[in-house]
Amino acid sequence: GIKKKEVHVLCLGLDNSGKTTIINKLKPSNAQTQDIVPTIGFSIEKFKTSSLSFTVFDMSGQGRYRNLWEHYYKEGQAIIFVIDSSDTLRMVVAKEELDTLLNHPDIKHRRMPILFFANKMDLRDALSSVKVSQLLCLESIKDKPWHICASDALKGEGLQEGVDWLQDQIR
Ligand code: GTP
Ligand code: MG
């Protein structure tokens, strides 16, 4: 068949936000794993959409591994940033990590699309994507295209909408 354009994506966000669960759900069902464990360091994953072949750097969000993220910034052409919408206590930590990311010299002046997943929308305590967007001050991101989707990675809801947006940004 026709060779799809290859895109490198960084999947970032705090530990337990659902990054690996999301990436797993984007794979064809026969390639999905059943048991997802906290990522150690990072893992390289692949999935395809109608026109693109994505290589994802699924980074660990644990504090002790977050210093690994920046080594992959130059490689990345787009970012998927995942937030646990029910983790209100750590929303400020997620914002700090996002701000550090946006100010990094390897990210700052580049036009990199950022897709935010306000994940775990199925949980009773989950904040709306509008609220998450406000708490993270996403409106202040002026130099990069960004988009936020509410998602439930367990059911796979909201993921396709996000990936469709990302695909449109890259073509
Ligand atoms: P690290 O690899 O440690 O950075 O975590 P991660 O962001 O990759 O999170 P992971 O995908 O391992 O998911 C963490 C936990 O959240 C798992 O128990 C998942 O089943 C659960 N989870 C992921 N997405 C959702 C969701 O949308 N809703 C609910 N209720 N649970 C979710
Ligand atoms: Mg993970």
Side-chain angles (χ1 to χ4, degrees), residues 14-21 36-39 59-62 119-120 122-123 151-154:
L14 300 186
D15 51 295
N16 199 49
S17 56
K19 299 178 293 298
T20 303
T21 308
I36 286 169
V37 294
T39 307
M59 306 301 297
S60 167
Q62 287 181 60
N119 195 37
K120 306 200 184 183
D122 55 296
L123 296 181
S151 64
D152 171 354
L154 297 182

